[in-house]
């Protein structure tokens, strides 16, 4: 049976400009992220964590062209690891 | 003098095949993988069709780390309470040369990369390529990596860096890269279940496997679903058009949960234990939405080139990646100014672009509103009418039933005719 490891890097591969998020009406990242990494805060911002990221790219793709989310591949050897069975 | 003749970025099926073919031709090959081992970043939702390997690894089926050989293949149309299944099975697919196999990608991809290193390619893992190196004329001459002093040079770079290909984007090859209607999110659960239970529930013996591909299970989001068997687990997942998902405020996990509770699927997964949940983007735009396939010194292949085939009846990716990686390596081996034209010719002369070109209308048709949101319900209701026996009322004629079903679902006969014609043009 294969399972997943997350080899968490000290450097985040996702950055979020929460000033942009405060004015965002769509906030599609919150529900579209399959790993549920984006959480709305009471003051209209977005909290996110990158540690349990599948590295799919959905968040930056659905971010409504405001450029609030920047995304790059995590540094080598880090991030999600699907294990051999 | 460059560090390598050819640098391949990404040790998935496309990259490892490219590295294997180039190394066998005597080229020095650097195969760079950002994960700790090949396959460690890779998941998918389905089946590997291995015949493309026949001429590369003649006895591939004896060595490939396969979970089960698919001998039962179902295409399902689903509504929240009904289902219509075209269920095909044959023992023939359970014998060499086989047809399709289920596998775990970390197993399969690591195995294929092993063939590349056996052929002489240098595999460099845990190394993320961060950009392209170009010469003053704009020709790609290498890659930058996140290793200290990590620049690597080569005569040709083959980018097989996956669906998010930052290298294809950096090279300006991908004008459609941010169009969310041509990408889907695939999300999958792997549920463990004893082997015997799987074989009993799916009617399988030994290493036979089943694969069901489903339409109509994703609510108001265009897409589909799948259920397939591993040796001692079942994979259940959905594929969701990204633009619809973004607008819907629904979560992929919810839609998987609904699929698992559907009357057709619930008995298959009853009591199975969740072992793994994962997700990945899929480029589904097909031929019309492909990026340009290279630039001077650069070729792209696999998901980076959107070679994944999402054509309804056929949902394939790994075989297209392998075929694409092979063509890229062959073109790179010849090299020269006509490399990109050579690459395209090689792709067009094999199934990779031949199939994509033939099926270029399929992605749009499969994800169209009527196919997604009207026809599954219409066909299920029609079959319910046909098979319901409500004596003493006599049976109504078929024509009447069809007309009634079509009308009840807001479909016009001219829509049916138009979609039928589209279907013929697409698949004929």
């Amino acid at each position: 049976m294969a399972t997943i490891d997350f080899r968490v890097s000290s450097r985040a591969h996702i950055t979020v400009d929460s000033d942009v998020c405060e004015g965002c009406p769509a906030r599609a990242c919150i529900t579209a992220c399959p790993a549920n990494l984006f959480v709305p805060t009471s003051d209209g911002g977005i909290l996110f964590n990158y540690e349990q990221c599948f590295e799919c790219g959905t968040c930056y793709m659905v971010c409504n062209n405001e450029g609030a989310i920047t995304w790059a591949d995590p540094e080598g050897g880090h991030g999600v690891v699907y294990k051999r069975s | 003098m460059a560090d390598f003749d050819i640098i391949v970025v990404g040790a998935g099926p496309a990259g490892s095949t490219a590295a294997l073919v180039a190394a066998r031709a005597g080229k020095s090959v650097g195969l760079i993988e950002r994960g700790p081992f090949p396959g460690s970043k890779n998941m998918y939702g389905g089946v590997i069709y291995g015949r493309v390997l026949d001429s590369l690894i003649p006895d591939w089926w004896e060595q490939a780390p396969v979970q089960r050989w698919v001998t039962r293949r179902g295409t399902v149309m689903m509504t929240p309470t009904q289902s219509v299944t075209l269920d095909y099975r044959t023992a023939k697919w359970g014998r060499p040369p086989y047809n399709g196999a289920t596998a775990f990608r970390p197993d399969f991809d690591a195995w294929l990369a092993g063939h590349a290193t056996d052929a002489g390619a240098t595999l460099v893992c845990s190394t993320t390529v961060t950009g392209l190196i170009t010469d003053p004329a704009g020709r790609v001459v290498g890659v930058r990596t996140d290793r200290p002093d990590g620049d690597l040079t080569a005569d040709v770079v083959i980018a097989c860096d996956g669906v998010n290909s930052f290298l294809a984007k950096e090279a300006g090859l991908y004008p459609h890269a941010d169009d969310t209607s041509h990408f889907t999110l695939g999300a999958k659960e792997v549920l463990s279940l004893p082997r015997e239970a799987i074989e009993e529930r799916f009617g399988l013996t030994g290493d036979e496997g089943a694969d069901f591909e489903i339409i109509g299970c994703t609510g108001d989001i265009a897409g589909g679903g799948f259920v397939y068997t591993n040796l001692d687990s079942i994979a259940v997942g959905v594929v969701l058009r990204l633009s619809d998902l973004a607008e819907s405020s629904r979560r992929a996990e919810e839609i998987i949960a609904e699929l698992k509770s559907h009357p057709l699927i619930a008995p298959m997964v009853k009591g199975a234990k969740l072992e793994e949940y994962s997700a990945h983007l899929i480029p589904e735009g097909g031929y019309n939405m492909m990026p340009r396939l290279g630039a001077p010194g650069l070729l792209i292949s696999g998901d980076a080139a959107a070679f994944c085939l999402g054509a309804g009846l056929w949902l394939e990716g790994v075989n297209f990646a392998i075929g694409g990686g092979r063509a890229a390596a062959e073109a790179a081996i010849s090299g020269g100014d006509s490399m990109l034209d050579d690459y395209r010719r090689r792709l067009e002369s094999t199934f990779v672009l031949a199939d994509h070109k033939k099926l270029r209308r399929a992605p749009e048709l499969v994800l169209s509103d009527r196919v997604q949101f009207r026809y599954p319900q219409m066909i299920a209701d029609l079959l319910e009418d046909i098979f319901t026996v409500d004596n003493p009322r006599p049976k109504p004629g078929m024509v009447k039933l069809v007309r009634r079903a079509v009308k009840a679902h807001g479909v016009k006969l001219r829509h049916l005719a138009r979609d039928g014609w589209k279907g013929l043009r697409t698949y004929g």
Side-chain angles (χ1 to χ4, degrees), chain B residues 35 38 43 52 94 97 155 175 190 223 244 289 293 330 360 382 394 426:
Chain B
M43 63 79 72
V52 63
D155 296 336
V190 177
D244 293 354
M289 292 298 146
L293 298 176
E330 287 167 349
R360 65 192 177 280
L382 174 63
T426 303

Side-chain angles (χ1 to χ4, degrees), chain B residues 91-113:
Chain B
K92 183 178 150 190
W93 289 348
R95 300 189 292 267
Y98 301 99
N99 185 47
T102 61
F104 289 118
R105 291 289 299 282
D107 297 339
F108 184 86
D109 292 12
W111 167 77
L112 194 56

Side-chain angles (χ1 to χ4, degrees), chain B residues 48 56 75 82 86 183 206-207 231 327 334 360 375 405 419:
Chain B
I48 296 172
L56 289 172
T75 298
Q82 304 152 292
L86 177 69
F183 291 86
D207 56 5
L231 195 61
S334 307
R360 65 192 177 280
Y375 291 158
D419 290 339

